[in-house]
Amino acid sequence: MKKVKIYLESNVKSTRPIDGWCGYVIEAQVVRGGEVIDKTKEGFCFLKGRTANQMILEALWMALERFQKPSDITVFTDNIHISNSLHEGWPQRWQANGWRNTAGKQVKNSYLWQKVNEKMQPHLVHVEYTKCHPYKLWMQKEIQDRKKALSNENGCA
């Protein structure tokens, strides 16, 4: 099983829905000509009316969409709720309970959790909560640059 890392980032840190950007970097080691090199793929998306949790779930889903074969994936995020939920295996429990929590209430963002959970199925997924990762500053700058570029087009932000 191929080992891969996914780094997640968003400029939305709010629990209330706002417009913003999210993105991911997928890092994998490949062997070319006997040499091991890091290969990366990235993706960014502007979304309207999303919370911090929703943005990170969207970014994770977009990253998982790129995988064609089962992989050993480590996800890095600074979102403590998403990190804890994945680490504790909550999506699998919620699915078994019809997307209801232990209090019997509908899980918040269940439609996103369902999408992510479905895409995680063929993979072995680990998660690490981290305030900083190797791509964090680059991703934040990329998000800022994309935000500026969007705001310059037809006066839209």
Side-chain angles (χ1 to χ4, degrees):
M1 209 178 257
K2 187 176 188 178
K3 287 190 177 242
V4 180
K5 296 175 183 174
I6 298 176
Y7 300 92
L8 304 173
E9 194 62 45
S10 173
N11 68 338
V12 174
K13 304 298 182 195
S14 174
T15 56
R16 70 179 175 83
I18 61 173
D19 299 349
W21 288 86
C22 63
Y24 63 86
V25 171
I26 300 170
E27 179 187 81
Q29 291 188 332
V30 295
V31 179
R32 287 212 177 113
E35 183 181 347
V36 178
I37 59 170
D38 287 335
K39 184 174 180 180
T40 61
K41 294 179 183 178
E42 70 275 338
F44 293 88
C45 187
F46 174 77
L47 298 167
K48 293 181 175 251
R50 300 296 203 288
T51 65
N53 292 345
Q54 291 168 336
M55 289 298 242
I56 294 301
L57 285 170
E58 292 277 11
L60 179 55
W61 178 77
M62 289 187 305
L64 291 169
E65 277 277 285
R66 303 213 42 185
F67 289 84
Q68 303 298 318
K69 296 179 182 175
S71 300
D72 183 351
I73 302 170
T74 302
V75 177
F76 296 88
T77 180
D78 66 355
N79 183 301
I80 193 74
H81 175 68
I82 302 302
S83 176
N84 285 345
S85 297
L86 292 171
H87 183 73
E88 296 296 326
W90 293 348
Q92 293 78 15
R93 283 188 247 154
W94 292 331
Q95 181 180 24
N97 292 332
W99 297 99
R100 301 214 171 268
N101 62 24
T102 54
K105 294 182 180 179
Q106 183 74 26
V107 171
K108 286 184 182 179
N109 304 313
S110 61
Y111 67 100
L112 291 171
W113 281 111
Q114 288 175 49
K115 285 177 24 173
V116 167
N117 197 47
E118 179 183 317
K119 289 295 175 185
M120 287 190 326
Q121 292 308 314
H123 309 290
L124 180 59
V125 180
H126 319 275
V127 65
E128 287 192 27
Y129 172 76
T130 182
K131 285 285 189 186
C132 192
H133 57 71
Y135 299 98
K136 188 169 190 76
L137 295 177
W138 176 81
M139 291 175 79
Q140 289 175 339
K141 184 181 181 318
E142 188 69 21
I143 286 171
Q144 282 304 106
D145 291 348
R146 289 169 186 259
K147 185 177 174 182
K148 283 180 197 169
L150 183 62
S151 65
N152 290 335
E153 292 178 12
N154 302 321
C156 298

